[in-house]
Amino acid sequence: MMRLTPEQMASRKKRNIALAAVLVAFIVLVFTTTVLKLAGNMEQRQATVAAGQPVAPAG
C-alpha cells in the first residue's frame, strides 16, 4: 500500500474541498433556476386566469 506524504494529503484535501464547493454552487444554481422558472410559470398562469382565458391542464 502506498503512503501519501503530508504535502500530498494536504493537496488532496484542498482539491476535494474545491470540488465540493463547485458541486454545491452547481446545485444552488440549478435549484435557483428551477424556482425562478416555476415562479414565472405561476405568474403567467395567474395572468391567464385573470384574463378569463382557458388554462391548459398541467401534465
Side-chain angles (χ1 to χ4, degrees):
M1 184 169 149
M2 189 172 113
R3 299 272 179 189
L4 297 177
T5 65
E7 293 83 17
Q8 289 172 324
M9 291 193 55
S11 176
R12 180 180 283 185
K13 184 175 181 177
K14 286 179 186 177
R15 186 173 56 243
N16 287 343
I17 290 171
L19 184 60
V22 168
L23 182 59
V24 167
F26 177 73
I27 291 169
V28 168
L29 176 68
V30 170
F31 178 77
T32 303
T33 302
T34 302
V35 168
L36 292 175
K37 285 184 132 261
L38 285 173
N41 288 341
M42 287 173 53
E43 289 174 8
Q44 184 179 11
R45 184 179 180 95
Q46 288 173 350
T48 302
V49 170
Q53 298 175 354
V55 177

